[in-house]
């Protein structure tokens, strides 16, 4: 009996339910659960963990950032991650189609598309920088190892430089000029050579041609992978999912053995209680949780829509969320052990040792790589890892959920959007999310047949919009987009989605949907978080962020007012989609009064619910069961019962005529 029960669960049925086919033949499903978990980990674990988390943590005082980070993870991150997975899995629809649950809020899906557009533009610039470091690492000596290059200044202090390796000479320099700030060769290489940084965001200067070329390479790779598909066996997926941890572990072991590493780790772990009261720290922690987990990007809903209907997405959400955040914390240990060593070597405080912006990862990691034996080899492997992580998010956050994959050597190919199961671990999702939205909204055969050209058009547009970020002022613009387009918007969109499902659609309805899908209702903790705690925390963070607002800065550079205004416009451009579409939907809805129109606009569509007929039970059941239909089909109408039959009331409230049904 136990074996039969277990077999039933594996086949996708819940206890007490008759066995049924749990696959969508038309739309496609994951081949097995490991595919989904590995792909989702690849989607969630990306540059946000090894690039964005360390620099936000460093900028906000190390340990002062960790406390709000874990609070946001427990009460907002994991619950909303579970909500998006269950939302997409129940309806088997992407981030636009799921809003059949309450059509007035379809603007939330469009807002997700706008956010994905902004992130896709600057995210690929970060990938192009990783490509650049990957290419320049193919040499005998890494170019940021010594201070003897044309771009170095007299303040440069390299660990491996013979003329500065003497501790006595360095200590004498500190005594003679205590105000002089020493810099590492990796930081000078980043600021003075790779970026050739200008003095103002408005002073674009020249386009950095090496970066422009790498940006072209990164977009070409993304485009080709989307068009041709990425064929990978199960073994390759195991490699791409575990390879980053191997590289990080090597750097971690080397980092903690360096002199001064403990100082950096203590800075990382020790809370600065005065900063914990700063709303900016809480706002950054919230944005990092949403950014890192992928909430409000649209990709989570899309990927979950390819799960089998009875897949245990509750378990998946716990595993993936904890894995994601543990990776961020682990990468933090790597970064701060290196920062502690650099601070000890340069004779400065940990808080002042390196770039406080997005370039931190391109200063601290390269510095550690120079201290490894055969450093060029490790540098190539490390930046190859960054490229994999970046592409795993860029493709994985939307289209990775759909485009061709080959598990165990069996390739899946289809001619239509709904014929393709998902692709594992590949920046294609961001681009594919946008392409899918365009194709789905137009929806005719002409554009479906020309989807390749749509993909090409989106890729070319993304490349052109990314060109300003490869100029000498590009890092200023990248930080501006990261702070506004991908922070405030993610939090607001998630909050509105939570409120719409819990209070417009109804929490009881949603809990019953999850129970129908999983066999058990969501745990009480998640119910309380969805209804009260998560929206309340997000609301208070937004309020106090406005009250304690401070303009962003990049190291000592403070952004001008006009640049901050552009940042606010980028943030609002995604959020404004929600009220604009809501007004449009209310105006187009049926009803004589505004209240009637509002009720019709928020009421779930008749086609809302599970995608497959065999899963549409209970209140989603059709007016006639299959057995009743077959009975009616073989029974002719009795003349004495009259030509007209009484209407039958369907479970969704619609009336069906028995004659017309026959």
């Amino acid at each position: 009996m136990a074996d039969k029960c277990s077999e039933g669960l594996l086949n996708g049925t819940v206890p007490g339910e008759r066995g049924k086919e749990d696959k969508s033949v038309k739309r496609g499903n994951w081949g097995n659960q490991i595919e989904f978990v590995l792909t989702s980990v690849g989607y969630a674990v990306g540059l946000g963990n090894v690039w964005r988390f360390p620099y936000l943590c460093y900028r906000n005082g190390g340990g002062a950032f960790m406390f709000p980070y874990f609070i946001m993870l427990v009460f907002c991150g994991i619950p909303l991650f579970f909500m998006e997975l269950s939302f997409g899995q129940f309806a088997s629809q992407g981030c636009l189609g799921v809003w059949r649950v309450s059509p007035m809020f379809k603007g939330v899906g469009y807002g997700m598309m706008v956010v994905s557009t902004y992130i896709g533009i600057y995210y690929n610039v970060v990938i192009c920088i990783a490509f650049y470091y990957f290419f320049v690492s193919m040499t005998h000596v890494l170019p940021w190892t010594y201070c003897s290059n044309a771009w170095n200044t007299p303040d440069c202090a390299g660990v491996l430089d013979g003329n500065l390796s003497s501790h006595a000479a360095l200590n004498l320099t500190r005594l003679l000029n205590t105000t002089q700030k020493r810099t590492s060769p990796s930081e000078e290489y980043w600021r003075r050579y790779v970026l050739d940084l200008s003095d103002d965001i408005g002073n674009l200067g020249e386009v950095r041609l090496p970066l422009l070329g790498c940006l072209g390479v990164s977009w070409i790779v993304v485009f080709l992978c989307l068009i041709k598909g990425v064929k990978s066996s199960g073994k390759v997926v195991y490699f791409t999912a575990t390879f980053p941890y191997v590289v990080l572990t090597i750097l971690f072991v080397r980092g903690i053995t360096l002199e001064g590493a403990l100082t950096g780790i203590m800075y990382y772990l020790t809370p600065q209680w005065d900063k914990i009261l700063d709303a900016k720290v809480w706002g950054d922690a919230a944005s990092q949780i949403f950014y890192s987990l992928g909430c409000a990007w649209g990709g989570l809903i899309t990927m979950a829509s390819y799960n089998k209907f009875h897949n245990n997405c509750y378990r998946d959400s716990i595993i993936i969320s904890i894995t994601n955040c543990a990776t961020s914390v682990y990468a933090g240990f790597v970064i701060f052990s290196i920062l502690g060593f650099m601070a000890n070597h340069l004779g400065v405080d940990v808080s002042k040792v390196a770039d406080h912006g997005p370039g931190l990862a391109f200063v601290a990691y390269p510095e550690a790589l120079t201290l490894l034996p055969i450093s060029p080899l490790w540098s190539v492997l490390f930046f190859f890892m960054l490229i994999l992580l970046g592409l795993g998010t860029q493709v994985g956050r939307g289209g990775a959920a759909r485009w061709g994959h080959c598990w165990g050597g069996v390739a899946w190919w289809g001619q239509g959007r709904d014929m393709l199961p998902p692709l594992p671990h590949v920046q294609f999702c961001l681009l594919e999310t946008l392409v899918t939205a365009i194709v789905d909204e137009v929806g005719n055969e002409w554009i479906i047949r020309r989807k390749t050209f749509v993909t090409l058009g989106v890729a070319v547009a993304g490349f052109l919009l990314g060109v300003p970020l490869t100029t000498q002022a590009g890092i200023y613009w990248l930080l501006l987009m990261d702070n506004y387009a991908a922070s405030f918007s993610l939090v607001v969109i998630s909050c509105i989605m939570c409120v719409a499902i819990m209070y417009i659609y109804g929490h009881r309805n949603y809990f019953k949907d999850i129970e129908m899908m999983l066999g058990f209702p969501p745990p009480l903790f998640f119910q309380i978080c969805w209804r009260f705690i998560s929206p309340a925390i997000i609301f208070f963070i937004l309020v106090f962020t406005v009250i304690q607002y401070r303009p962003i800065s990049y190291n000592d550079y403070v952004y001008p007012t006009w640049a901050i205004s552009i940042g606010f416009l980028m943030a609002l451009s995604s959020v404004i989609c929600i009220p604009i579409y809501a007004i449009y939907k209310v105006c187009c809805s049926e009803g004589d009064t505004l209240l009637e129109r509002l009720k019709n606009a928020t009421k779930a569509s008749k086609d809302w619910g599970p995608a497959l007929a065999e899963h549409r039970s209970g209140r989603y059941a059709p007016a006639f069961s299959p057995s009743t239909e077959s009975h009616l089909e073989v029974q002719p109408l009795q003349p004495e019962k009259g030509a007209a039959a009484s209407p039958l009331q369907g479970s969704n409230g619609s009336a069906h005529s028995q004659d017309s049904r026959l």
Side-chain angles (χ1 to χ4, degrees):
M1 182 67 183
D3 293 339
K4 289 183 180 179
C5 180
S6 136
E7 182 182 355
L9 288 172
L10 287 173
N11 288 333
T13 58
V14 296
E17 183 181 30
R18 67 183 178 86
K20 59 178 66 172
E21 181 64 31
D22 198 34
K23 297 181 180 179
S24 174
V25 177
K26 178 184 177 184
R27 198 167 193 274
N29 291 99
W30 300 99
N32 58 63
Q33 196 51 35
I34 295 178
E35 293 181 11
F36 173 68
V37 173
L38 286 178
T39 303
S40 297
V41 169
Y43 166 78
V45 176
L47 290 181
N49 302 88
V50 298
W51 163 70
R52 196 173 190 267
F53 173 84
Y55 98 73
L56 284 179
C57 192
Y58 185 52
R59 187 175 73 183
N60 288 291
F65 183 77
M66 297 293 287
F67 179 75
Y69 179 78
F70 283 112
I71 294 294
M72 294 303 303
L73 169 65
V74 173
F75 293 104
C76 289
I78 296 177
L80 294 178
F81 191 87
F82 177 35
M83 173 176 278
E84 290 203 25
L85 288 189
S86 59
F87 197 24
Q89 179 175 309
F90 181 79
S92 296
Q93 294 290 327
C95 62
L96 293 177
V98 290
W99 288 105
R100 295 170 183 172
V101 70
S102 184
M104 192 178 83
F105 288 92
K106 191 175 181 179
V108 173
Y110 288 112
M112 291 177 176
M113 296 299 99
V114 175
V115 169
S116 291
T117 300
Y118 286 131
I119 297 176
I121 291 169
Y122 80 80
Y123 205 93
N124 232 6
V125 174
V126 179
I127 297 174
C128 95
I129 296 173
F131 265 112
Y132 175 80
Y133 272 83
F134 174 75
F135 291 136
V136 299
S137 297
M138 298 177 183
T139 180
H140 294 295
V141 179
L142 296 176
W144 56 85
T145 303
Y146 300 108
C147 291
S148 56
N149 303 288
W151 57 82
N152 291 124
T153 67
D155 296 336
C156 183
V159 178
L160 301 178
D161 276 312
N163 60 327
L164 288 174
S165 60
S166 170
H167 288 287
L170 187 56
N171 288 333
L172 179 61
T173 304
R174 293 172 184 164
L175 291 173
L176 293 176
N177 190 359
T178 56
T179 61
Q180 184 180 17
K181 180 185 176 182
R182 312 297 293 180
T183 55
S184 65
S186 61
E187 182 170 6
E188 292 199 349
Y189 180 75
W190 163 252
R191 291 172 62 89
R192 298 176 59 84
Y193 185 77
V194 178
L195 300 180
D196 193 11
L197 194 62
S198 68
D199 58 353
D200 185 75
I201 189 173
N203 181 17
L204 294 179
E206 63 181 15
V207 173
R208 301 290 296 147
L209 293 180
L211 294 182
L212 182 65
C214 291
L215 181 64
V217 169
S218 61
W219 275 111
I220 290 171
V221 169
V222 171
F223 172 72
L224 292 179
C225 287
L226 281 174
I227 296 305
K228 299 297 183 183
V230 178
K231 299 181 180 180
S232 55
S233 67
K235 292 182 180 179
V236 172
V237 178
Y238 287 112
F239 167 76
T240 57
T242 57
F243 177 63
Y245 295 100
V246 174
V247 177
L248 285 176
T249 300
I250 293 170
L251 291 176
F252 173 70
V253 171
R254 183 65 181 109
I256 60 175
T257 59
L258 296 172
E259 185 179 358
L262 185 60
T263 305
I265 292 176
M266 291 305 297
Y267 180 85
Y268 177 48
L269 298 178
T270 306
Q272 300 177 31
W273 297 107
D274 56 325
K275 285 194 173 185
I276 288 181
L277 300 177
D278 188 350
K280 174 66 174 172
V281 177
W282 286 84
D284 281 349
S287 71
Q288 175 57 23
I289 286 293
F290 288 105
Y291 187 98
S292 182
L293 290 177
C295 298
W297 290 43
L300 282 180
I301 294 175
T302 305
M303 283 198 298
S305 70
Y306 290 88
N307 278 338
K308 297 175 183 178
F309 183 73
H310 292 299
N311 170 63
N312 190 345
C313 58
Y314 166 67
R315 174 200 59 205
D316 298 335
S317 64
I318 300 296
I319 294 174
I320 296 168
S321 299
I322 293 177
T323 301
N324 173 279
C325 295
T327 304
S328 294
V329 173
Y330 190 40
F333 275 102
V334 177
I335 281 279
F336 280 90
S337 64
I338 299 166
L339 291 176
F341 163 73
M342 293 172 65
N344 178 75
H345 172 69
L346 299 174
V348 297
D349 189 73
V350 175
S351 62
K352 301 177 181 177
V353 74
D355 193 322
H356 277 238
L360 175 63
F362 296 104
V363 172
Y365 289 124
E367 185 75 14
L369 291 169
T370 61
L371 305 176
L372 294 171
I374 324 178
S375 55
L377 173 63
W378 291 111
S379 184
V380 167
L381 291 176
F382 174 78
F383 288 108
F384 177 66
M385 176 200 77
L386 282 190
I387 292 168
L388 282 182
L389 289 177
L391 293 178
T393 298
Q394 182 79 326
V395 188
R397 296 193 185 231
R402 292 190 9 235
W403 275 84
H405 75 298
C406 178
W407 290 95
V410 182
W412 289 80
W413 298 99
Q415 298 176 352
R417 148 176 209 285
D418 290 328
M419 295 296 292
L420 300 174
L423 155 77
H425 199 65
V426 199
Q427 184 162 14
F428 315 127
C429 244
L430 280 172
L431 176 60
E432 182 59 26
T433 299
L434 302 176
V435 174
T436 299
I438 295 171
V439 173
D440 285 355
E441 284 303 290
V442 177
N444 57 43
E445 290 294 325
W446 184 86
I447 197 168
I448 291 175
R449 289 197 301 267
R450 291 163 177 79
K451 186 171 182 178
T452 298
F453 297 102
V454 177
T455 306
L456 178 61
V458 173
V460 171
F463 169 75
L464 295 176
L465 291 171
V467 170
L469 275 66
T470 63
T471 63
Q472 291 176 274
I475 195 68
Y476 297 125
W477 288 100
L478 192 151
L479 183 61
L480 186 73
M481 296 180 72
D482 187 51
N483 267 264
Y484 289 96
S487 295
F488 170 81
S489 306
L490 294 175
V491 177
V492 172
I493 289 173
S494 285
C495 184
I496 294 176
M497 181 185 70
C498 189
V499 170
I501 295 175
M502 290 294 104
Y503 295 99
I504 305 300
Y505 176 59
H507 64 278
R508 290 187 180 89
N509 289 333
Y510 195 65
F511 297 161
K512 289 177 181 177
D513 291 343
I514 291 181
E515 186 171 9
M516 178 197 303
M517 181 172 64
L518 301 183
F520 57 88
L524 182 62
F525 172 76
F526 286 88
Q527 296 183 23
I528 295 174
C529 284
W530 288 344
R531 294 184 62 193
F532 307 111
I533 298 178
S534 298
I537 289 178
I538 293 172
F539 176 75
F540 281 113
I541 286 176
L542 291 175
V543 170
F544 284 106
T545 299
V546 172
I547 294 173
Q548 299 183 7
Y549 173 75
R550 293 192 310 272
I552 64 168
S553 59
Y554 178 65
N555 294 326
D556 297 327
Y557 174 76
V558 179
Y559 281 68
T561 304
W562 65 267
I564 294 174
S565 300
I566 293 176
F568 275 114
L569 289 176
M570 286 191 292
L572 290 174
S573 63
S574 57
V575 178
I576 201 69
C577 293
I578 301 171
I580 288 178
Y581 189 86
I583 294 171
Y584 162 77
K585 191 65 181 178
V586 170
C587 293
C588 295
S589 297
E590 298 178 353
D592 297 328
T593 65
L594 178 62
L595 185 59
E596 289 179 359
R597 289 173 178 267
L598 195 61
K599 286 181 178 178
N600 289 328
T602 55
K603 185 173 62 177
S605 303
K606 293 179 180 179
D607 53 354
W608 160 253
L612 298 182
E614 56 264 35
H615 296 142
R616 297 183 73 89
S617 58
R619 59 200 176 94
Y620 297 105
F624 293 87
S625 65
S627 59
T628 306
E629 289 182 19
S630 61
H631 172 72
L632 289 171
E633 286 171 2
V634 298
Q635 295 294 329
L637 279 175
Q638 301 298 326
E640 62 272 14
K641 291 191 177 181
S646 60
L648 298 177
Q649 191 72 15
S651 61
N652 61 357
S654 60
H656 300 276
S657 167
Q658 187 173 357
D659 278 356
S660 62
R661 183 68 178 173
L662 290 168

